[in-house]
Amino acid sequence: MTPLDIQLNRERAMRIDGNFDAVGGRLSQNRRTLVVAPFYKAEHLVERLVSSLIASAADLTAIGADVLLINDSPDYAPLAEALAAAGARAAEAGLACRIVTNERNLGFVGTVNRSIREAVASGADVILVNSDTIVFAGALKEMVDVAYSDEMIGFVSPRSNNATLCSLPQQEERWRATPAEGYLNYAAIAPHLPRFTYAPTVVGFCMLIKWRLLNEFGDFDPIYGAGYNEENDFVCRAGMVGYRGALANRAYVWHEGEQSFSLSATPKAERERKNSAILLARYPHYSRLVSAYFAAPAYRAERVLGGLLRNGAGKQAIAFDFSSFAAHHNGTFEAAKALAREAAAAWSDAYDVAVIASQAVFEFHKLGAIAGLRRVDIASQEVFAAIIRIGQPFDWESVDRLAARAPVIAISMLDTIAQDCGPLFRQEVEELWAFASEQVDVLLTISQYSMDQFSSRYPVSDRAVRCASLLSVDIEDYAPVEIDTAFASDCDGAIFIIGNHFPHKHVAPTLERLLEAAPDARFVTIGIESDNPRVVSFAAGLMTDAQVASLYARSRLVVFPSFYEGFGLPLLHALAHRKPVIARRMPVFEEIVAAMGGSPNVHLFDSTQEMAEAAASGDVVWRPQPISSGQGWARSAAEIRGAVEQAIRAIDA
């Protein structure tokens, strides 16, 4: 997957609506139209199809249509009776329906060919409709208008609930919708599409064929017997000289599916296998055209837009992307879990909240314990109204997964450390972040400081919703769930230097200063090794939450010497354990303290030496302070929800 593929997919999903509406009506349409509905038994289908044609009387008048109902089961009285009753009802409504009966059963292809020959003789275009369809008002006229918007459009099909490449939405679980449900699903997506889409073929459930093609290329080929692929053969025949198929995206015809042939003696699978072999032997390029259509960004965009649909409870689905999570602990995972937990509870009024994660990650991080949060496998093809990724992407595959799963993508860029710190810089990440900043729908950051840093380095799109949502600064939100009381029992009263092995965390140099400044003190570190007997070191990322909580609980103060943070969770963890914090002065820490309403237990200094001296002085001790400021996870989740909803609304703007 290339950046261009991703970009095209995103742009089409978000901005193709209406781009081609102006092309309609360029060519004059002065032919009449023969609307043909073949019936074979299944008399229960007659009333609803004819009723829908009566409801489309204005369309039929506008396109100069004659309606022809063909009875292909002449010896089956119930169908004849149903057709006669429907014809009488149509006449009462002012719609003339001609009913003709084949002298013998001709099958679908033979019956259609009878109508084609009539159309050729009378100079009419043909619209074929299956007996198991319901035509919605406006569909027939729109099909004709699309056909005559381009000289070389020879075939047109409408969109439908259940008609292979005409299906909108594409999600198969939506194909069995009722007519009302199917139309609502279609109507939620269709406005975002161009007026029509060129396609490698059309679908026989409802298709328009221009007279000039009928006249030039003849009938459906009888070799296809009871049906399947006869329309594809005709499209390929005409396509050899340049005629195209098109899907009329503003036209909708509901299709029950598999009713027209349900009484055939030949099973569907057998007909498909046999007829597909005939078609591909004649037109080997057909499979290439179809594959290209399904792989194109426009088709992918249609699928993504299906994420806007609501479930049976009237809720849209929103997913947190944890696909890059691993089975270990870090600050990013901690913040993401906290936000997902809050969202699962607070957003349940309008959203079905999911998390995209492997089973191993889901179990390791105990995500199954979060009520209202369901797991979606990374390989799943489910789409969502929005996907929220907590943490910047570091590979193109991550971005492609996002682009293929939702029309609204929110990425939380935690910080720009990876590109600002020289040893960490990677050119491919620089290009990836620049691309993501131009394509993202919602740019989230975990502090205003992070937003300022990212926005000054990368070209954020003007259309992106920007949301600098400070993570929770409520001390009570960081109270440990459990503490491993048996862990690190030799660390009581130690000074805890928090960080890891990366240079910007500055743990090793700070430890050296502290060893000198406080010769009688003992120390605990994470992420570095030390052979000093006064130092106990632990590897970063491998301890459980309860073990890390034990280190905070046993220490007498916490030193956080990092030069660069997007937020600074250790500061809140220290306060939750009633431990004072010594940290380097930086805007994000001042932002956190200000949001808390101030804190007597956060001590900021401008240099490593000042931090070491303060830690050694013995003057930094815990002082009482409020544990809640009203600025917790609920506030952050609400801010993120508001930004995501703004982006979703923008799709319809």
Side-chain angles (χ1 to χ4, degrees):
M1 182 57 56
T2 67
L4 179 59
D5 291 326
I6 300 170
Q7 181 178 10
L8 286 172
N9 179 46
R10 297 287 300 133
E11 289 181 350
R12 287 177 183 271
M14 300 301 300
R15 294 187 288 279
I16 59 177
D17 52 302
N19 288 351
F20 302 101
D21 284 357
V23 300
R26 280 201 314 237
L27 309 174
S28 62
Q29 187 270 326
N30 52 19
R31 293 191 177 278
R32 295 191 63 78
T33 307
L34 183 62
V35 177
V36 180
F39 288 89
Y40 176 72
K41 296 186 176 179
E43 65 278 5
H44 63 284
L45 302 177
V46 175
E47 173 61 25
R48 71 182 187 191
L49 173 55
V50 173
S51 293
S52 73
L53 292 175
I54 293 172
S56 299
D59 283 10
L60 295 168
T61 299
I63 63 176
D66 297 312
V67 177
L68 177 61
L69 311 178
I70 304 180
N71 181 349
D72 191 36
S73 46
D75 299 325
Y76 185 68
L79 177 60
E81 294 168 0
L83 287 170
R89 183 167 174 268
E92 292 175 1
L95 177 66
C97 290
R98 285 191 296 123
I99 301 171
V100 300
T101 302
N102 294 335
E103 293 182 1
R104 58 182 178 82
N105 173 247
L106 299 178
F108 181 78
V109 173
T111 299
V112 168
N113 284 343
R114 171 178 181 166
S115 66
I116 287 176
R117 287 190 286 273
E118 177 177 331
V120 169
S122 63
D125 297 332
V126 163
I127 295 179
L128 300 173
V129 291
N130 275 10
S131 57
D132 58 346
T133 60
I134 295 176
V135 178
F136 276 64
L140 300 179
K141 183 178 185 303
E142 180 65 12
M143 289 171 65
V144 171
D145 288 347
V146 166
Y148 283 89
S149 68
D150 184 330
E151 181 75 21
M152 297 308 292
I153 291 179
F155 310 88
V156 179
S157 277
R159 304 313 292 251
S160 182
N161 62 299
N162 181 18
T164 61
L165 60 77
C166 296
S167 299
L168 194 70
Q170 294 176 13
Q171 286 70 31
E172 292 188 23
E173 62 270 20
R174 303 277 186 171
W175 290 2
R176 292 300 178 188
T178 65
E181 293 169 343
Y183 183 79
L184 288 176
N185 291 340
Y186 152 83
I189 300 174
H192 305 296
L193 304 182
R195 185 176 189 183
F196 65 86
T197 301
Y198 291 105
T201 189
V202 292
V203 183
F205 82 104
C206 182
M207 63 182 292
L208 177 150
I209 310 174
K210 284 180 177 175
W211 173 86
R212 65 167 59 185
L213 277 71
L214 298 170
N215 184 57
E216 186 71 34
F217 298 104
D219 297 348
F220 284 179
D221 194 326
I223 196 173
Y224 292 99
Y228 283 110
N229 279 311
E230 71 283 347
E231 76 274 36
N232 296 329
D233 185 283
F234 199 119
V235 172
C236 286
R237 225 182 307 162
M240 297 292 287
V241 300
Y243 286 106
R244 301 289 300 273
L247 308 183
N249 295 325
R250 304 287 185 265
Y252 183 78
V253 173
W254 183 84
H255 182 218
E256 184 171 358
E258 300 182 20
Q259 293 298 305
S260 300
F261 295 117
S262 62
L263 301 177
S264 172
T266 307
K268 172 187 174 182
E270 183 178 338
R271 290 197 304 274
E272 286 185 317
R273 178 189 56 78
K274 176 183 176 182
N275 290 355
S276 291
I278 296 171
L279 179 73
L280 294 179
R282 289 179 172 181
Y283 308 103
H285 65 278
Y286 175 73
S287 58
R288 175 172 54 84
L289 295 178
V290 172
S291 295
Y293 177 80
F294 288 136
Y299 186 81
R300 295 180 64 196
E302 283 187 11
R303 180 170 184 80
V304 166
L305 286 166
L308 296 173
L309 301 179
R310 301 179 185 276
N311 63 17
K315 299 179 180 181
Q316 291 178 314
I318 290 182
F320 285 86
D321 177 24
F322 289 3
S323 61
S324 298
F325 277 26
H328 63 255
H329 300 280
N330 64 27
T332 299
F333 300 167
E334 177 188 343
K337 286 188 292 183
L339 286 170
R341 181 180 294 107
E342 182 62 35
W347 300 1
S348 61
D349 60 318
Y351 298 103
D352 168 27
V353 182
V355 58
I356 301 172
S358 68
Q359 185 66 45
V361 163
F362 193 77
E363 293 175 356
F364 178 87
H365 290 287
K366 301 179 181 179
L367 297 172
I370 300 177
L373 187 69
R374 64 182 176 91
R375 185 184 81 89
V376 175
D377 194 75
I378 296 172
S380 168
Q381 296 301 304
E382 182 177 350
V383 294
F384 308 90
I387 291 183
I388 303 168
R389 178 187 171 93
I390 307 298
Q392 49 264 50
F394 285 93
D395 58 76
W396 288 104
E397 289 74 17
S398 297
V399 176
D400 182 53
R401 281 199 300 270
L402 295 173
R405 304 293 289 274
V408 168
I409 295 174
I411 299 180
S412 179
M413 304 297 293
L414 305 180
D415 52 56
T416 56
I417 293 169
Q419 295 304 94
D420 287 337
C421 296
L424 303 178
F425 179 87
R426 290 164 50 200
Q427 182 59 39
E428 60 268 31
V429 172
E430 188 76 359
E431 295 169 357
L432 173 59
W433 288 4
F435 173 82
S437 72
E438 293 178 323
Q439 296 299 315
V440 72
D441 304 290
V442 182
L443 175 63
L444 303 172
T445 60
I446 54 178
S447 64
Q448 185 59 50
Y449 176 68
S450 286
M451 178 65 76
D452 294 342
Q453 295 294 95
F454 189 82
S455 299
S456 69
R457 288 156 172 74
Y458 299 98
V460 182
S461 168
D462 290 339
R463 68 176 178 81
V465 178
R466 304 188 192 201
C467 176
S469 181
L470 197 66
L471 299 182
S472 171
V473 294
D474 271 7
I475 296 173
E476 62 182 350
D477 283 344
Y478 296 89
V481 175
E482 59 177 329
I483 298 176
D484 187 342
T485 56
F487 183 74
S489 59
D490 57 342
C491 297
D492 287 340
I495 295 175
F496 185 13
I497 308 175
I498 187 71
N500 56 40
H501 66 284
F502 288 116
H504 71 275
K505 297 291 187 179
H506 215 59
V507 174
T510 301
L511 175 62
E512 291 180 11
R513 296 287 182 90
L514 280 165
L515 286 169
E516 295 174 0
D520 297 326
R522 292 180 301 114
F523 302 92
V524 177
T525 66
I526 293 179
I528 66 167
E529 295 182 1
S530 175
D531 56 6
N532 191 300
R534 290 195 287 143
V535 180
V536 179
S537 299
F538 296 94
L542 301 181
M543 291 182 291
T544 65
D545 291 342
Q547 289 172 335
V548 174
S550 177
L551 298 183
Y552 280 105
R554 293 183 184 279
S555 65
R556 64 180 177 86
L557 66 86
V558 175
V559 177
F560 191 15
S562 177
F563 275 95
Y564 200 166
E565 295 294 324
F567 181 77
L569 288 172
L571 189 148
L572 277 301
H573 284 299
L575 298 180
H577 286 273
R578 298 173 61 84
K579 308 298 177 180
V581 186
I582 293 173
R584 194 177 306 277
R585 190 182 311 280
M586 64 178 72
V588 69
F589 290 163
E590 294 175 333
E591 184 180 341
I592 290 172
V593 171
M596 294 171 63
S599 171
N601 295 300
V602 178
H603 306 271
L604 304 179
F605 298 93
D606 294 316
S607 69
T608 304
Q609 184 61 36
E610 290 176 318
M611 288 190 288
E613 292 173 356
S617 70
D619 296 333
V620 178
V621 296
W622 177 260
R623 292 178 172 82
Q625 74 171 96
I627 63 172
S628 177
S629 62
Q631 297 295 314
W633 293 117
R635 181 265 311 154
S636 181
E639 291 171 350
I640 292 172
R641 173 176 176 170
V644 169
E645 288 180 337
Q646 182 180 341
I648 292 174
R649 289 194 300 270
I651 298 176
D652 294 319

